[in-house]
Amino acid sequence: MSQSLTSLQDEWESVDAEYKQLQERHTMYLHKLEEISKLQNSCSASITSQRRRLKEMHSSLVDKTGTSDREAEALDEIKSKIKVHLNTFSEMEAYLPKKNGLYLSLVLGNVNVTLLNKQSKFAYKDEYEKFKLCTMAVLLLISFICYFFVAYRFLDAILNFLLLWYYCTLTVRESILISNGSRIKGWWVFHHYISAFLSGVILTWPDGDFYKMFRNQFLAYSFYQSFVQCLQCYYQSGCLYRLRALGERHNMDLTVEGFQSWMWKGLTFLLPFLFFGHFWQLYNSLCLFRMAQLPEYKEWQVLMCGLCFFILFLGNFFTTLAVFLRKLVSQKPKSL
Ligand code: COA
């Protein structure tokens, strides 16, 4: 046998041995997957039954007060423990597969979107923030070009089309984040539905006198909003990285107080820009309502955009205020 054939056979035997090991490992992997799937089903079933039993217990205890002080104390303790248990269920569910809500089912179908470990959840949220930042930078550039250099309707249409696509994408990404335990407030998701609708309405607005009257104001607003959203992404990515570091405090020297002080610095810097943006939304809506009162008024887009801006102002302003006040009152860090 030639030497080259011998070395080829040696090589093949080593590859074959590795292949057999791989096969064994893969079989073990499939077996574990099956075990995990069974565990997931049993945990989900236990949560459902526990939740039902605790709710029944809680409603039967609501009116009970106890005949003595000791009895009343024991009852209060059980009631508060029931609440603690009920609250932990949603944290447990963030790591279990669940049925998609209506919106995700319509967009993605019945596919499981639950990410099963902290690293994947962090990576997905991180990618979401980066996606927002990159898209906002592009939108900032386009609004700048439209405002200062190119007054073509088709470029405005590209800007609005990008905005429409961006907000639609965000709604899907946010639904996935919520399925994975994110505490994004319902308003911010709803805000993105309205913003997508608003961009769609502006896209259909004919290039008449009314459009020309509002165009520059809208482009300047769009430029400002993209800028503020870049700041917001910077703040939220900062929170995300610091909270992750807090969750792994054994290898990173970041304290809860350290996080709090960074968060407050970020918030106090960001809030004036945010509130200015909210009042700009109010100003846009008032301008559009006034335009709708002109005798030449005929385009429905004027009133519809005015209404959207007004709803955006109300929701953004009051939700941001509520978030700020809640943080002021609680002064506790977000849990991971
Ligand atoms: N869009 C998307 N997600 C948001 C959000 C927003 N506007 N505001 C908060 N979140 C997310 C957070 O990332 C966090 O997610 P997590 O649970 O996955 O970690 C969760 O919601 C809870 O955040 P919360 O602690 O309530 O707020 P925060 O400190 O992250 O941010 C603000 C507070 C005020 C900075 C933020 O809500 C904000 O920027 N609001 C204004 C948005 C706005 O008005 N845009 C228009 C600009 S003109």
Side-chain angles (χ1 to χ4, degrees), residues 34-50 92 96-97:
E34 224 166 90
E35 272 179 27
I36 286 183
S37 161
K38 279 184 196 153
L39 270 174
Q40 285 170 340
N41 288 342
S42 89
C43 281
S44 299
S46 300
I47 289 178
T48 313
S49 110
Q50 275 266 317
M92 288 182 184
L96 290 166

Side-chain angles (χ1 to χ4, degrees), residues 87-88 90-95 117-119 121-123 125-126 177 180-183 236-252 254-256 259 332-336:
N87 286 340
T88 55
S90 41
E91 280 167 36
M92 288 182 184
E93 277 171 335
Y95 292 90
N117 59 55
K118 273 189 180 181
Q119 286 95 315
K121 284 181 199 288
F122 169 79
K125 179 81 196 243
D126 187 36
L177 282 171
N180 280 288
S182 172
R183 291 149 309 119
Q236 266 160 348
S237 294
C239 281
L240 182 68
Y241 277 89
R242 278 164 181 80
L243 281 171
R244 184 177 153 88
L246 264 180
E248 295 165 1
R249 224 177 323 166
H250 53 278
N251 55 25
M252 290 188 81
L254 183 78
T255 58
V256 176
F259 171 75
K332 278 184 198 150
K334 300 185 272 189
S335 62
L336 272 173

Side-chain angles (χ1 to χ4, degrees), residues 125 128-129 132 174 177 181-185 188 191-192 221 224-225 228-229 232 235-236 239-240 243 263 267 270-271 273-274 277-278 281 316 320 323 326-327 334:
K125 179 81 196 243
Y128 160 83
E129 294 297 346
K132 285 206 299 191
E174 280 160 2
L177 282 171
S182 172
R183 291 149 309 119
I184 300 177
K185 296 219 160 12
W188 301 126
H191 164 269
H192 296 141
Y221 163 78
Y224 180 78
Q225 198 202 27
V228 174
Q229 288 200 19
Q232 188 201 341
Y235 163 80
Q236 266 160 348
C239 281
L240 182 68
L243 281 171
M263 186 195 77
L267 259 187
L270 190 59
L271 279 176
F273 288 100
L274 286 174
H278 300 160
Q281 287 169 342
N316 286 344
T320 306
V323 169
R326 174 182 48 84
K327 281 178 188 284
K334 300 185 272 189

Side-chain angles (χ1 to χ4, degrees), residues 1 41 52 63 88 96 120 136 139 141 147 165 176 199 215 238-241 245 265 281 303 327 331:
M1 214 188 302
N41 288 342
R52 197 195 58 238
D63 302 324
T88 55
L96 290 166
S120 329
M136 274 303 137
L139 290 169
L141 189 72
Y147 188 85
W165 165 80
I176 296 178
S199 309
R215 179 185 182 271
C239 281
L240 182 68
Y241 277 89
K265 262 190 219 154
Q281 287 169 342
L303 206 57
K327 281 178 188 284
Q331 295 254 344

Side-chain angles (χ1 to χ4, degrees), residues 82-249:
I82 288 179
K83 273 188 195 152
V84 173
H85 281 213
L86 282 171
N87 286 340
T88 55
F89 290 150
S90 41
E91 280 167 36
M92 288 182 184
E93 277 171 335
Y95 292 90
L96 290 166
K98 55 181 146 322
K99 267 195 148 188
N100 291 336
L102 180 68
Y103 184 60
L104 274 186
S105 303
L106 286 175
V107 178
L108 300 178
N110 193 19
V111 61
N112 176 28
V113 293
T114 313
L115 301 163
L116 296 178
N117 59 55
K118 273 189 180 181
Q119 286 95 315
S120 329
K121 284 181 199 288
F122 169 79
Y124 190 73
K125 179 81 196 243
D126 187 36
E127 202 261 332
Y128 160 83
E129 294 297 346
K130 284 188 181 134
F131 165 77
K132 285 206 299 191
L133 188 65
C134 294
T135 320
M136 274 303 137
V138 172
L139 290 169
L140 190 111
L141 189 72
I142 299 183
S143 0
F144 183 80
I145 295 173
C146 286
Y147 188 85
F148 285 107
F149 302 110
V150 194
Y152 288 137
R153 179 70 172 93
F154 93 93
L155 205 61
D156 297 1
I158 291 180
L159 174 72
N160 280 300
F161 183 76
L162 261 177
L163 278 167
L164 175 65
W165 165 80
Y166 167 71
Y167 285 121
C168 288
T169 322
L170 275 197
T171 56
V172 179
R173 285 172 185 251
E174 280 160 2
S175 303
I176 296 178
L177 282 171
I178 290 171
S179 288
N180 280 288
S182 172
R183 291 149 309 119
I184 300 177
K185 296 219 160 12
W187 163 257
W188 301 126
V189 184
F190 189 56
H191 164 269
H192 296 141
Y193 286 113
I194 299 184
S195 303
F197 177 73
L198 175 66
S199 309
V201 173
I202 298 182
L203 208 52
T204 65
W205 196 341
D207 191 14
D209 290 342
F210 279 81
Y211 179 77
K212 288 196 176 87
M213 252 197 274
F214 186 61
R215 179 185 182 271
N216 276 359
Q217 184 174 331
F218 174 71
L219 288 176
Y221 163 78
S222 187
F223 178 80
Y224 180 78
Q225 198 202 27
S226 308
F227 165 70
V228 174
Q229 288 200 19
C230 287
L231 294 182
Q232 188 201 341
C233 288
Y234 175 73
Y235 163 80
Q236 266 160 348
S237 294
C239 281
L240 182 68
Y241 277 89
R242 278 164 181 80
L243 281 171
R244 184 177 153 88
L246 264 180
E248 295 165 1
R249 224 177 323 166

